[in-house]
């Protein structure tokens, strides 16, 4: 700061009153402010779709702790993150009137992916053999990803609903392929679907052979019919 120094003496008052001087005296700042308690990364964070505080607050001597995430501006607010990712938090102490700023430090914090989930596909009921491929189930729904299905344990997953043609019991497996914020989900138990046998029918009835006459040997009594 600046101090005014006035030199006086009783016998020379008039002279020294006119000799008032200004002298500048500099008081240097104390050493830099320090982080007395470092902020800590929060553990076990998992994606929820909303902003999550990434750290617990630290404390400082000689100033105020400032934080930022990535390229954001420094702020006194605790940094937040939403998406599953690893975040770099930068912090330092902004010195007060008597302290200079502290060194900048960083800490990394991870928000883990949440688990995807699914509403299981439902087996279609009343399926009966028609000779054509039929969808075995209605589509399920996924939360946090995309549904995929496969027919049988050795099948290949895809987004298409599995189909069956022949009468029989089928096992349809399903899973959710997670998005950027969710882990994959694989159902333990398959959905069972059944295509029942159709009723057989006669296309052409067998016809009695006419004009048969005893020969002493066995003879066909009808001409063959055809069946579906």
């Amino acid at each position: 700061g600046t101090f005014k120094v006035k030199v006086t003496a009783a016998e020379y008052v008039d002279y020294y009153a006119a000799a008032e001087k200004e002298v500048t005296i500099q008081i240097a700042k104390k050493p830099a402010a320090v982080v007395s308690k470092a902020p800590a990364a929060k553990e076990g964070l998992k994606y929820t779709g909303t902003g999550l505080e990434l750290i617990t607050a630290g404390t400082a001597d000689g100033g105020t702790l400032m934080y930022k995430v990535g390229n954001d501006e420094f702020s006194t607010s605790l940094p937040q993150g939403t998406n599953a990712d690893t975040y770099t938090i930068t912090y330092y102490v902004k010195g007060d009137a008597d302290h200079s700023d502290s060194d900048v430090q960083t800490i990394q914090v991870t928000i883990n992916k949440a688990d995807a989930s699914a509403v299981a596909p439902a087996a279609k009921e009343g399926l009966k053999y028609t000779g054509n491929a039929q969808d075995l189930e209605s589509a399920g729904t996924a939360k946090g990803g995309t549904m995929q299905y496969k027919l049988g344990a050795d099948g290949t997953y895809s987004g298409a609903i599995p189909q069956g043609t022949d009468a029989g019991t089928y096992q349809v497996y399903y899973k959710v392929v997670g998005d950027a914020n969710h882990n994959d989900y694989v159902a333990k138990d398959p959905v069972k679907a059944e295509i029942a046998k159709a009723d057989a029918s006669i296309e052409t009835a067998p016809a009695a052979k006419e004009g048969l006459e005893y020969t002493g040997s066995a003879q066909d009594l009808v001409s063959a019919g055809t069946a579906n």
Side-chain angles (χ1 to χ4, degrees):
T2 301
F3 296 83
K4 291 185 177 180
V5 180
K6 184 177 182 180
V7 181
T8 59
E11 63 272 30
Y12 300 108
V13 171
D14 291 341
Y15 176 81
Y16 283 104
E20 186 174 310
K21 302 287 185 180
E22 286 191 0
V23 180
T24 299
I25 303 173
Q26 181 67 42
I27 299 178
K29 287 188 175 183
K30 293 180 181 178
V34 296
V35 177
S36 53
K37 178 184 176 183
K42 287 192 174 182
E43 297 183 358
L45 294 177
K46 186 174 286 189
Y47 174 80
T48 63
T50 59
L52 302 172
E53 286 188 349
L54 300 172
I55 59 173
T56 56
T59 57
D61 292 334
T64 304
L65 268 167
M66 307 292 288
Y67 314 90
K68 73 172 183 176
V69 180
N71 295 321
D72 292 347
E73 296 293 328
F74 278 106
S75 166
T76 57
S77 300
L78 293 179
Q80 292 190 345
T82 301
N83 293 322
D85 203 350
T86 297
Y87 296 83
T88 298
I89 311 300
T90 306
Y91 66 95
Y92 77 103
V93 181
K94 184 178 181 180
D96 57 21
D98 294 322
H99 296 81
S100 57
D101 295 347
S102 73
D103 293 334
V104 173
Q105 301 181 61
T106 60
I107 186 172
Q108 289 193 323
V109 187
T110 298
I111 295 179
N112 298 295
K113 292 182 178 183
D115 294 328
S117 60
V119 175
K124 288 196 172 182
E125 298 181 358
L127 295 178
K128 187 176 285 189
Y129 174 80
T130 64
N132 298 315
Q134 304 178 70
D135 286 348
L136 297 172
E137 59 184 27
S138 56
T141 56
K143 180 179 179 181
T146 305
M147 290 287 293
Q148 289 194 352
Y149 316 88
K150 71 176 181 178
L151 185 58
D154 296 329
T156 301
Y157 279 108
S158 77
I161 299 294
Q163 293 186 325
T165 301
D166 295 333
T169 299
Y170 296 84
Q171 290 187 326
V172 177
Y173 294 80
Y174 65 96
K175 69 177 182 178
V176 178
V177 179
D179 58 23
N181 291 311
H182 294 83
N183 297 309
D184 293 350
Y185 166 79
V186 180
K188 293 181 179 178
D189 300 319
V191 175
K192 293 182 179 180
E194 183 175 357
I195 296 178
K197 291 182 177 181
D199 296 328
S201 61
I202 296 173
E203 291 182 338
T204 304
K209 286 194 173 183
E210 298 180 359
L212 294 176
E213 195 171 274
Y214 174 77
T215 64
S217 301
Q219 302 178 67
D220 289 340
L221 301 175
V222 296
S223 57
T226 57
N228 179 21

